[in-house]
């Protein structure tokens, strides 16, 4: 199967779900392609990055105007096919020559079940201890070529640590991706798969500043499977820095050495997508010490943080999920936060006609263990440079106040629940997450009002007062909700009342507590 020529990407078209397309069909107008429809959310995230990478590689616009032209008036499928054709030889999934996302050379090693390509598959130690309670063994025994191609790209893009010499992805294990997306409720453009991908393609000027950039790079510098693997054994291998590859390899990084056993196929239904196939595969071979990406790589689809050594490190999802408390660093940046290049490009393009959003997703990894897949969307705001600093300052004040209020609300609830809250066992992080879930809509409403206030020449302090009321009300409502649940025989009404009073004093103080944190003075109110 060739991933340029053949139909393999699962999508929903306007006529209905369960369709498959070749990449060049993404702009079909007869039956528009609306969205990806893979059987797993991580597959959808990977396929979207596949399309972005392919467009960035084959169709980099020369100027911002060229980019804007294709946003409004997409190329025809035939035009895209012509652009993709020179790269088709790099996208053969099987056969005698180079294979997509697989080692250039035949490798020897122990056969692995095809399910091990899935990031959340139970590891060898888990199976040995019979501890696969949540992701059971034996659920995926065979897979079709379409799902194998997606699984290969998903693994190579997100590769976690996998034991001695099994390298992580170019962005580390389970990187966070932040993409620009249309807001279907307010955009004047069709909310389709073409826009979801093209909004995240950079023009040539944005790529030209990356180390090692060339407008005509060697194919093997972009697609590492077209040449012998740059291995990373301790004594004889080499690390791979941005100077050892073309910047476009960031979209096609291949840290794992894998060869799918295409010579052992069967017929039946794919255990992942359910489709009938005569080329179901059950095993692959892997070997350690593949490409070891180190140094100041800055993947265009990921936010970064500056390390102590001054290098940009990709951000990763953490326990507790992704909420608006992360919004400022992901969109506006800061002293140590660098938004993804595609987010920065959005701000530079100043697309005032469309309301856009940020699509955030990624695995929360604990070394080799996938704890959770997180995915969310948040508004993006185009803010004029004249008010950008004050907008960021006020946004930061709103977020810091929410973080502290959520912390003290959780502490107050624990004080009410337990006689010795410091000794209480169990994770109460869900209380913090509940706080942010309940205040998210109000937060972004405040940001819209803040932007309007600053554009009108105000200082934005009105948003601080409004936010104070939201946080105060939510904290007490959640306190009452959670303390009213539990074993009533063990409830201590006095302890609950004392904990609520302490929280209320902090929330309602005229000069201290929450008001002081926001830098405002409020009229004292009794706790409800």
């Amino acid at each position: 199967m060739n991933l340029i020529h053949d139909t393999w990407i699962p999508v929903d078209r306007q006529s209905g779900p369960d369709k498959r397309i070749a990449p060049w069909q993404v702009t079909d107008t007869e039956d528009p392609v609306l969205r990806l429809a893979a059987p797993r959310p991580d597959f959808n995230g990977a396929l979207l990055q596949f399309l972005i990478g392919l467009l960035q590689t084959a169709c980099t616009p020369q100027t911002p105007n060229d980019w804007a032209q294709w946003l409004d008036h997409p190329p025809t499928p035939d035009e895209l096919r012509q652009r993709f054709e020179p790269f088709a030889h790099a996208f053969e999934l099987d056969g005698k020559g180079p294979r997509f996302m697989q080692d250039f050379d035949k490798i020897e090693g122990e056969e692995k079940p095809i399910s091990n390509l899935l990031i959340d598959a139970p590891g060898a130690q888990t199976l040995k201890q019979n501890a696969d309670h949540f992701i059971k063994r034996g659920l995926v025994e065979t897979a079709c070529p379409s799902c194998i191609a997606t699984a290969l790209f998903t693994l190579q893009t997100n590769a976690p640590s996998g034991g001695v010499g099994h390298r992580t992805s170019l962005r580390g294990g389970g990187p966070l991706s932040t993409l620009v997306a249309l807001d279907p409720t307010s955009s004047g453009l069709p909310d389709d798969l073409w826009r979801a991908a093209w909004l995240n393609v950079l023009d040539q000027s944005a790529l030209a500043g990356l180390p090692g950039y060339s407008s005509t790079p060697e194919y093997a510098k972009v697609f590492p499977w077209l040449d012998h693997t740059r291995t990373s054994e301790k004594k004889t291998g080499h690390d791979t820095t941005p100077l050892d590859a073309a910047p476009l390899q960031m979209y096609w990084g291949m840290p794992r050495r894998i060869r799918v056993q295409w010579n052992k196929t069967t017929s039946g239904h794919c255990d992942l997508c359910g489709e009938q196939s005569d080329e179901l595969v059950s095993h692959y071979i892997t070997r350690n010490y593949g490409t070891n990406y180190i140094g100041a790589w800055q993947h265009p689809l990921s936010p970064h943080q500056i390390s102590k050594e001054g290098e940009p490190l990709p951000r990763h999802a953490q326990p507790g999920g992704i909420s608006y408390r992360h919004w400022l660093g992901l969109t506006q940046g800061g002293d140590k936060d660098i938004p993804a290049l595609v987010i920065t490009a959005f701000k530079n393009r100043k697309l005032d006609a469309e309301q856009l959003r940020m699509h955030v997703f990624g695995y929360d990894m604990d070394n080799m263990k996938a704890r959770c897949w997180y995915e969310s969307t948040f508004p993006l705001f185009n803010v004029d440079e004249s008010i950008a600093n004050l907008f960021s300052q006020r946004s930061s004040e709103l977020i810091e106040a929410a973080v502290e209020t959520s912390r003290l609300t959780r502490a107050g609830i624990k004080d009410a629940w337990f006689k010795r809250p410091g000794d209480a066992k169990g994770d109460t992080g869900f209380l913090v997450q509940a706080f942010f879930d309940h205040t998210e809509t109000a937060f972004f409403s405040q940001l819209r009002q803040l932007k309007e206030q600053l554009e009108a020449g105000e200082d934005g302090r009105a948003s601080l007062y409004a936010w104070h009321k939201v946080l105060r009300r939510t904290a007490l409502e959640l306190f009452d909700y959670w303390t009213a649940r539990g074993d009533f025989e063990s409830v201590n009404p006095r302890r609950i009342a004392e904990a609520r009073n302490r929280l209320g004093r902090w929330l309602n103080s005229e000069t201290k507590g929450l008001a002081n944190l926001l830098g405002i003075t409020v009229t004292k109110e009794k706790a409800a």
Side-chain angles (χ1 to χ4, degrees), residues 397-439:
E397 290 167 348
L398 299 180
I399 293 171
E400 289 175 4
V403 170
E404 184 65 6
T405 305
S406 69
R407 185 185 72 81
L408 290 176
T409 302
R410 177 174 65 172
I413 294 170
K414 289 180 66 177
D415 286 345
W417 275 349
F418 308 111
K419 183 177 181 180
R420 301 169 66 91
D423 297 335
K425 297 181 179 180
D427 183 10
T428 56
F430 68 91
L431 297 172
V432 171
Q433 188 59 40
F435 186 92
F436 282 100
D437 289 343
H438 278 73
T439 53

Side-chain angles (χ1 to χ4, degrees), residues 130-152:
N130 198 32
D132 51 328
H133 304 304
F134 303 104
I135 308 296
K136 291 289 187 181
R137 72 189 83 188
L139 295 180
V140 179
E141 295 184 347
T142 59
C144 67
S146 171
C147 286
I148 288 174
T150 310
L152 282 169

Side-chain angles (χ1 to χ4, degrees), residues 415-417 479 483 487-501:
D415 286 345
W417 275 349
F479 179 95
T483 56
D487 183 358
F488 283 94
E489 293 184 359
S490 62
V491 165
N492 186 320
R494 181 175 180 179
R495 192 167 64 229
I496 293 175
E498 290 176 348
R500 194 182 195 279
N501 286 336

